[in-house]
Amino acid sequence: INFPAVDSSAGSGGNNSGGGNSPTAGDGAANRGGGGGGGGSGTSPGSPVAFSGSGGSGRVVFKYFQNVRLADPAGFVQFTNSGTWTVPEGCNTIDYLIVAGGGGGGGSSEWNNRPGGGGGGAGGLLAGSAYPVSAGQTYSVIIGSGGGGGAGGPTSGSTGTNGQNSSVTLSSNPAITFAIVTGKQIGRA
C-alpha cells in the first residue's frame, strides 16, 4: 500500500539500545509501535540500575477515494490518538494501516557482568487494501499505547509490559473489528 502523504512505516523491536552501563535505555518510536530498549547492566553491587525503555504507541492510517467529481478525490486520515472517523460521501473502499503499541524493554541487574534486559517487541502491524465501506459509516479507532519498561533489581530485572492493541470497529456493529496482536517484552536480566 502506498501512503505518500504520511509516514507509513512501523517501528522495530527494541529499536533503542540499553546495553552497557547506560543510565537509561531508549523508548520505542512513538506512533510507530517500536519496542523499548532493554536496561543496561550495573557496574557493581549497589550501583544505579539502568532503566529500560517504554514501548512506542501505535497508529491507524486510512487512504480513501471518493467516487465523486472533486478536485482531489483521494484523501488520508491518520490517527495517533483514539477517535472516530466517518466515511465521506462517494467512498466505497479504503486502504488501511494499523499498528499496535510496542512492548516495554526488560529491566536489568545492578551487578556487573550480567546481561542487560532484553528489548521489547515491536507492535503488530496489519495492512490491507480495497476494504469495503459505505458513506456515512462511523468507525471507532483505538490507538494502542506502548508497554512500560521493566524495573531493575539487585540481581535481576523484571519484564516489561505488553503494548496494547490498536483497533478499528464499526460503531453501529462492534462485531466488525480489525484487531492486532501487540509486541511483547522478550527478555530480562
Side-chain angles (χ1 to χ4, degrees), residues 18-181:
N21 299 323
S22 170
T24 58
D27 290 334
N31 301 123
R32 292 190 182 176
S41 63
T43 57
S44 62
S47 69
V49 176
F51 295 98
S52 59
S54 297
S57 57
R59 71 170 154 184
V60 172
V61 180
F62 297 124
K63 176 182 177 182
Y64 61 91
F65 294 95
Q66 294 172 286
N67 299 322
V68 294
R69 295 182 181 261
L70 298 173
D72 184 12
F76 291 89
V77 178
Q78 178 171 228
F79 288 87
T80 56
N81 294 301
S82 299
T84 59
W85 179 66
T86 301
V87 178
E89 178 185 347
C91 179
N92 59 13
T93 64
I94 60 170
D95 295 346
Y96 57 89
L97 172 73
I98 306 172
V99 180
S108 65
S109 166
E110 65 187 38
W111 289 81
N112 193 19
N113 297 323
R114 295 226 176 155
L125 179 138
L126 180 65
S129 60
Y131 183 79
V133 295
S134 298
Q137 288 178 320
T138 299
Y139 286 86
S140 296
V141 176
I142 303 297
I143 301 300
S145 60
T155 59
S156 69
S158 63
T159 59
T161 59
N162 293 340
Q164 300 297 306
N165 292 346
S166 290
S167 64
V168 179
T169 303
L170 181 60
S171 297
S172 64
N173 185 355
I176 300 176
T177 301
F178 299 111
I180 309 175
V181 176

